[in-house]
Amino acid sequence: MTTMARESAARSNGRGSEIRRHELAAFLRSRRERIAPEQVGLPRGARRRTPGLRREEVAQLSAVGVTWYTWLEQARDIQVSAQVVDALARTLRLDESERAHLFRLAGATDPAPALDTPNVTPALREMLRRLEPVPACIQNSRYDVLAYNRTYGRLMSDLDALPPEDRNCVLLVYTNTECQAAVVHLEETQRLMAARLRAALAGHLGEPAWKKLLERLQECPAFRENWRRHEVVGTRSRTREFRNPHVGRLTLEHTDLWLGPEQGARMVTYTPGDEETRQRLEKLYEVARGN
């Protein structure tokens, strides 16, 4: 990169940081002004002219300096720790979306992010049902299977027979013999799943649910070997092949349909890659319906 290009990039980053600081200041003011003193155990008082809380009250409740918090609302160029942002989010009673927005504006990593578990609404369950005989499920970023239609439930193994904590796609390809027998290119799939999991992990470091999943996977030698590669792969559509014990070989097109702005919760679908697979999915659906 040339000197001129570096200077241009630095100016662009500087403008972006300044805009973000002003957005942060405005967001803090708007959230502060909507909190009534009574909501946080403070008296309103006869002389209160400020809507909501005063700056000094937010600072006191968050255990930060009044001057420092004032500078924050003035969009000053100051460093903000994750612990302070967490305290402000609690004081201002932010919901999950507002909390995530605050951390993004502050350029900090949330020490206690919202669980990556989408609300599987009746509408989503109805969509899964309507997609049959196409196998489909709802997954989070850890590859936990949160909901699925009947065809998906019999695609690789009998998911209904497994406890919910074992319905995880990475666990299945590494530890479930029935699922392993159903995957045509098992070693390639195992290596790919480890790489996808590592890529997703970057946004969830230290979270208990992720640590628990990794501890279970580390018991598998094949996973340990692939994990040591430090490979990362983003999500993308691809062709998958399965050997189903009920209907035979299936060629399917894997597609992720994201349920939110972050690439975490998603609907996964497997559409038939050829006419023979389409007919076999119809048969698999009948099998699933009969059980």
Side-chain angles (χ1 to χ4, degrees):
M1 181 182 291
T2 65
T3 301
M4 183 178 296
R6 285 195 295 269
E7 291 175 351
S8 177
R11 287 195 298 271
S12 179
N13 291 336
R15 287 194 297 271
S17 298
E18 182 180 0
I19 292 171
R20 188 169 60 250
R21 290 197 306 272
H22 281 279
E23 285 289 328
L24 173 61
F27 184 67
L28 287 172
R29 286 194 298 271
S30 69
R31 301 304 91 174
R32 168 173 62 84
E33 291 172 355
R34 75 174 183 176
I35 302 293
E38 295 86 352
Q39 290 180 272
V40 292
L42 295 175
R44 176 169 292 277
R47 298 182 179 180
R48 180 179 295 270
R49 294 189 298 271
T50 303
L53 298 177
R54 300 185 179 100
R55 286 176 176 172
E56 57 268 26
E57 291 170 336
V58 173
Q60 179 183 358
L61 292 168
S62 305
V64 300
V66 176
T67 300
W68 184 90
Y69 180 76
T70 299
W71 286 349
L72 201 57
E73 281 203 10
Q74 291 175 344
R76 300 276 190 100
D77 188 5
I78 58 176
Q79 295 297 316
V80 187
S81 71
Q83 290 72 25
V84 168
V85 180
D86 176 60
L88 292 174
R90 295 175 188 277
T91 296
L92 298 174
R93 301 191 170 195
L94 304 185
D95 63 24
E96 291 181 2
S97 297
E98 292 170 330
R99 179 186 175 92
H101 184 62
L102 178 65
F103 272 88
R104 283 194 293 269
L105 291 177
T109 301
D110 191 346
L115 295 177
D116 179 26
T117 303
N119 181 21
V120 183
T121 62
L124 284 174
R125 294 186 185 277
E126 178 65 11
M127 288 178 65
L128 291 175
R129 189 184 71 80
R130 293 280 183 174
L131 284 169
E132 291 173 332
V134 169
C137 71
I138 305 294
Q139 295 180 10
N140 61 14
S141 61
R142 286 192 307 275
Y143 296 90
D144 295 326
V145 179
L146 308 175
Y148 51 92
N149 61 19
R150 286 171 289 190
T151 321
Y152 185 91
R154 301 307 295 268
L155 178 62
M156 292 171 283
S157 64
D158 185 359
L159 284 186
D160 291 339
L162 299 177
E165 61 269 22
D166 290 345
R167 296 173 192 165
N168 176 281
C169 292
V170 187
L171 276 175
L172 289 173
V173 299
Y174 276 104
T175 65
N176 185 286
T177 55
E178 186 179 358
C179 177
Q180 290 172 337
V183 178
V184 173
H185 305 289
L186 180 61
E187 291 186 3
E188 177 187 339
T189 299
Q190 288 177 330
R191 184 170 176 177
L192 177 63
M193 290 300 294
R196 291 181 68 172
L197 186 69
R198 184 176 285 281
L201 173 65
H204 303 274
L205 295 172
E207 293 182 22
W210 283 77
K211 292 173 66 176
K212 183 177 180 180
L213 173 61
L214 288 173
E215 287 171 359
R216 294 188 65 184
L217 288 167
Q218 290 288 352
E219 297 175 4
C220 176
F223 178 81
R224 291 199 301 270
E225 180 181 349
N226 285 328
W227 196 247
R228 283 194 292 265
R229 298 175 185 271
H230 285 268
E231 294 175 334
V232 291
V233 176
T235 56
R236 60 179 183 269
S237 300
R238 64 192 185 94
T239 302
R240 297 285 304 276
E241 293 182 271
F242 299 98
R243 301 184 197 92
N244 187 274
H246 303 287
V247 299
R249 193 161 178 138
L250 299 167
T251 301
L252 301 168
E253 300 298 330
H254 173 130
T255 302
D256 290 318
L257 306 171
W258 304 105
L259 301 180
E262 301 294 334
Q263 290 198 348
R266 57 194 174 271
M267 179 179 290
V268 177
T269 64
Y270 287 99
T271 54
D274 53 49
E275 179 59 25
E276 185 176 37
T277 295
R278 187 192 66 77
Q279 294 176 3
R280 289 179 177 180
L281 282 182
E282 295 279 0
K283 294 179 182 178
L284 182 59
Y285 175 52
E286 293 302 321
V287 170
R289 287 181 63 187
N291 293 341

